[in-house]
Amino acid sequence: MQQRTATLVCALLIILGAASACGEEAKPRLFSKLIFLSRQSGDYDVRLRTSNDRQPVELSRVVPWDSQPFWSPDGTRIIFYSDRNFNLPDRDNNVDVYMMSADGGSLTRLTDDPASDAFPYWSPDGSQIVFYSERAGQGDVYVMNADGSAVARVTDDSAVDIPYGWSPDGQRLLFASGRSGNLDLYSVQTDGDGLKRLTKAEGHDVAAQWSPDGTRIAFESARGGDVEVFTMDADGSNLINLTVRPLRDAYPVWSPDAVRLAFVSDRTADMEIYVLDTEYSFLNAVTATSREDSWPAWSPDGTRLGFVSNRDFNREIYIANSDGTGQTRLTDDPNPDLSPAWSPDGSRVAFVGFREGRRDVYIVNADGSGLVRLTNDGGLEAHATGRQSQEGDDEQRQ
């Protein structure tokens, strides 16, 4: 009778999402690959399945197919990942890593594998790229030269490993891994040696970023039931919960001075952007609208934030001073614009726009002028090289 009662209690706890109380074997197992879940709008969600599939791990929401434009340190190139066959009859639903010059020319496919390759990050000197790949049958961390050559596998584990970029000195890589049963943060040397586990707690630790001075790491964590913003020293010590609030505080982004963190929070019932001074705990609300504001991105001089706002019932790119003043709308289109990224000199913002049934990488001047479409998602044979080529590309699509 006691055994039957214990079994019933364990089953109830599993249903309630508290299976860990019944032993490690009752905990949902994380799968080894990510799901790029497409939407009709041209966006997708990135998720990680679990063995019970009741609560898949949500790693991002509303990510565009031409996703995560990332400027090279010298501002001359942009990398991103994409399913470039989005509009083609033979669409393969496979994402790869691409690079182009900052004017949209010289579009180059850096990875070409039947498995997904995603989440590229430049090394601090611009000579290498770290990225995620499933080419070995599971999600692992890889590095390659900036021209796509010399691909090397950094991690090799049956669990999924998701990169979050380089240490500022270029010596180590930061990544999340499911090898402990939930997503924890690790760092490793670029050759795969010196693996170090940084976090050890129930609840997934994701969206991690090294501080610009290399001393700390910020991340979001679901430990304790709520999603909160944490920091820790680069070796995993001195863990601090910075937000300590109910509901969701997420997606922390370091300012260039390595003192302030921008993050998003739904503490006021809708997602808004906040800036927190990590030294004095001063908190400032950058946005306060009745619709969602998200995706903060610091300007290189730390005075402004680019972000995505749905305040006009459509996601557009805005910029504002870091104290919330001077809010300016950069884009104005009926379709969503997402994923803002500042050029290293702060003069331009790259973003992903979904327009006319297409999704492409665009750049716009920081004052909203000079909008240029850089990519053409119809394939490598037809891509924009700047404002002068846009008209010709439009004719080619027709």
Side-chain angles (χ1 to χ4, degrees):
M1 183 64 178
Q2 289 180 339
Q3 183 177 5
R4 181 182 178 186
T5 301
T7 301
L8 291 174
V9 171
C10 185
L12 179 60
L13 287 173
I14 291 175
I15 293 174
L16 295 176
S20 60
C22 298
E24 191 65 29
E25 68 279 358
K27 183 177 180 180
R29 178 176 59 87
L30 299 179
F31 284 14
S32 62
K33 294 183 180 180
L34 300 180
I35 302 171
F36 295 85
L37 183 63
S38 62
R39 296 184 174 193
Q40 290 184 344
S41 64
D43 309 323
Y44 64 85
D45 297 329
V46 181
R47 297 183 179 181
L48 176 60
R49 289 180 57 200
T50 61
S51 56
N52 69 357
D53 256 358
R54 289 191 182 93
Q55 293 179 319
V57 182
E58 183 183 89
L59 296 175
S60 63
R61 296 183 302 157
V62 194
V63 179
W65 276 115
D66 277 357
S67 186
Q68 194 180 316
F70 193 6
W71 295 80
S72 62
D74 63 4
T76 63
R77 294 164 292 172
I78 296 173
I79 53 174
F80 62 100
Y81 67 98
S82 175
D83 168 13
R84 301 299 292 170
N85 287 331
F86 181 82
N87 288 329
L88 301 183
D90 62 343
R91 182 181 179 191
D92 56 12
N93 290 299
N94 177 52
V95 294
D96 278 295
V97 177
Y98 292 79
M99 180 178 67
M100 61 185 168
S101 60
D103 65 357
S106 304
L107 180 63
T108 303
R109 185 173 184 171
L110 297 182
T111 65
D112 188 0
D113 193 275
S116 292
D117 300 308
F119 315 134
Y121 295 88
W122 291 100
S123 63
D125 64 2
S127 66
Q128 291 182 292
I129 296 168
V130 64
F131 65 102
Y132 167 88
S133 180
E134 297 174 351
R135 63 187 60 196
Q138 65 210 25
D140 282 304
V141 177
Y142 288 74
V143 295
M144 61 182 169
N145 290 335
D147 62 1
S149 64
V151 175
R153 187 175 182 177
V154 178
T155 66
D156 184 0
D157 193 274
S158 59
V160 68
D161 295 328
I162 306 167
Y164 285 119
W166 305 69
S167 60
D169 63 6
Q171 299 301 305
R172 298 185 69 83
L173 301 169
L174 179 63
F175 67 98
S177 177
R179 61 188 68 190
S180 66
N182 58 274
L183 289 173
D184 283 306
L185 298 177
Y186 294 74
S187 71
V188 67
Q189 295 174 18
T190 57
D191 61 2
D193 291 337
L195 180 69
K196 183 175 181 59
R197 183 176 177 180
L198 302 177
T199 62
K200 299 177 182 179
E202 293 293 327
H204 302 299
D205 299 327
V206 294
Q209 187 184 68
W210 237 300
S211 63
D213 62 4
T215 62
R216 291 183 292 174
I217 293 170
F219 62 99
E220 68 175 72
S221 177
R223 63 186 71 193
D226 291 323
V227 177
E228 306 285 357
V229 172
F230 286 76
T231 60
M232 61 183 171
D233 290 347
D235 62 1
S237 63
N238 194 27
L239 183 70
I240 300 174
N241 183 344
L242 292 179
T243 50
V244 198
R245 291 288 298 269
L247 302 178
R248 181 181 178 88
D249 299 302
Y251 194 67
V253 185
W254 285 104
S255 62
D257 61 11
V259 172
R260 295 165 294 163
L261 278 173
F263 65 96
V264 297
S265 176
D266 61 0
R267 60 184 66 193
T268 58
D270 61 276
M271 299 301 287
E272 302 292 349
I273 298 172
Y274 295 80
V275 170
L276 176 69
D277 187 307
T278 61
E279 291 184 350
Y280 299 102
S281 298
F282 294 150
L283 183 67
N284 179 63
V286 177
T287 64
T289 65
S290 59
R291 304 286 294 180
E292 179 180 281
D293 297 304
S294 61
W295 224 311
W298 287 95
S299 64
D301 63 3
T303 63
R304 293 174 292 174
L305 285 165
F307 60 96
V308 175
S309 179
N310 197 30
R311 63 189 64 185
D312 296 312
F313 300 94
N314 183 56
R315 293 183 176 89
E316 303 286 357
I317 307 297
Y318 284 73
I319 62 170
N321 296 326
S322 61
D323 62 1
T325 62
Q327 298 199 16
T328 304
R329 182 173 177 172
L330 295 189
T331 65
D332 187 1
D333 192 89
N335 295 297
D337 296 323
L338 303 168
S339 193
W342 292 85
S343 63
D345 65 2
S347 66
R348 294 171 293 172
V349 176
F351 67 95
V352 176
F354 184 73
R355 304 179 181 195
E356 300 178 359
R358 306 166 43 81
R359 72 285 180 274
D360 284 293
V361 177
Y362 292 75
I363 58 171
V364 63
N365 294 332
D367 62 3
S369 67
L371 178 68
V372 178
R373 192 189 79 218
L374 297 185
T375 65
N376 179 323
D377 68 4
L380 290 178
E381 72 282 358
H383 63 273
T385 58
R387 180 184 301 274
Q388 293 179 346
S389 64
Q390 275 188 287
E391 183 177 350
D393 284 336
D394 291 338
E395 293 175 354
Q396 186 171 3
R397 288 201 309 274
Q398 299 169 359

